[in-house]
Amino acid sequence: MDNFHILSDSKMRNEDLCLADCATTHTILTNKKYFSKLTMLEAKVNTISGSANLIEGFGKANIILPRGTKFTINNALFSSQSKRNLLSFKDIRCNVYHIETDRINEIEYLYIISSISHEKCILEKLPALSSGLYYTHIRVIVTY
């Protein structure tokens, strides 16, 4: 599936595309709706092309992945100017989940795994894009 279809399908389901990123030190979210607590504060971030004023705030965020796996991210960064949501591997681990990769029918996947009573349980299965980056969709955790 190409990037256009991935993006348009997720918008129809009220979800946002999110890349799982081993290189980012913090989860970066592009929409305030994911934050339960947000402190607005401009800050610079270092990118491959240099330093940029992309960070507009930080705080506690809550997201849910397609199969229902919930994440609480205590120190997520808010950047409405960012082109993508990034879920850091560090925050996956902070939620007591593990990561594995596997290849099925020529498609590589990143598994988010929970270990319950020493049994491995695959919670989420993130496919790789042609670029090699793993993606998923995130949405707001609705509380009543």
Side-chain angles (χ1 to χ4, degrees), residues 71-123:
F71 282 85
T72 297
I73 302 157
N74 290 316
N75 196 17
L77 302 177
F78 168 61
S79 174
S80 64
Q81 300 171 54
S82 181
K83 294 184 184 349
R84 293 173 187 83
N85 294 295
L86 302 175
L87 177 59
S88 78
F89 279 24
K90 177 187 82 173
D91 286 324
I92 294 171
R93 292 287 298 129
C94 285
N95 277 269
V96 197
Y97 301 130
H98 299 275
I99 300 166
E100 285 184 15
T101 59
D102 195 12
R103 181 176 288 276
I104 302 171
N105 298 330
E106 302 301 316
I107 299 173
E108 188 170 327
Y109 292 93
L110 178 82
Y111 294 145
I112 297 177
I113 296 170
S114 178
S115 184
I116 301 168
S117 301
H118 303 293
E119 292 230 9
K120 184 169 54 172
C121 177
I122 297 172
L123 302 173

Side-chain angles (χ1 to χ4, degrees), residues 2 4 11 18 22-23 25 31-32 34 39 49 71 73-74 81 85 98 105 118 136 141:
D2 60 40
F4 174 76
K11 290 298 178 195
C18 184
C22 66
T25 57
N31 195 310
K32 288 181 182 179
Y34 295 110
T39 302
S49 56
F71 282 85
I73 302 157
N74 290 316
Q81 300 171 54
N85 294 295
H98 299 275
N105 298 330
H118 303 293
T136 188
I141 296 175

Side-chain angles (χ1 to χ4, degrees), residues 15-20 27-36 60-74 76-77 85-88 91-92 95 97 112 124 126 136-143:
E15 299 173 332
D16 292 311
L17 185 69
C18 184
L19 300 177
T27 293
I28 299 174
L29 300 169
T30 62
N31 195 310
K32 288 181 182 179
K33 68 184 178 184
Y34 295 110
F35 289 87
S36 59
K60 185 176 181 178
N62 300 291
I63 61 172
I64 189 167
L65 301 186
R67 289 179 157 179
T69 305
K70 295 178 182 177
F71 282 85
T72 297
I73 302 157
N74 290 316
L77 302 177
N85 294 295
L86 302 175
L87 177 59
S88 78
D91 286 324
I92 294 171
N95 277 269
Y97 301 130
I112 297 177
E124 301 288 338
L126 287 60
T136 188
H137 295 94
I138 60 173
R139 62 184 193 275
V140 175
I141 296 175
V142 179
T143 56

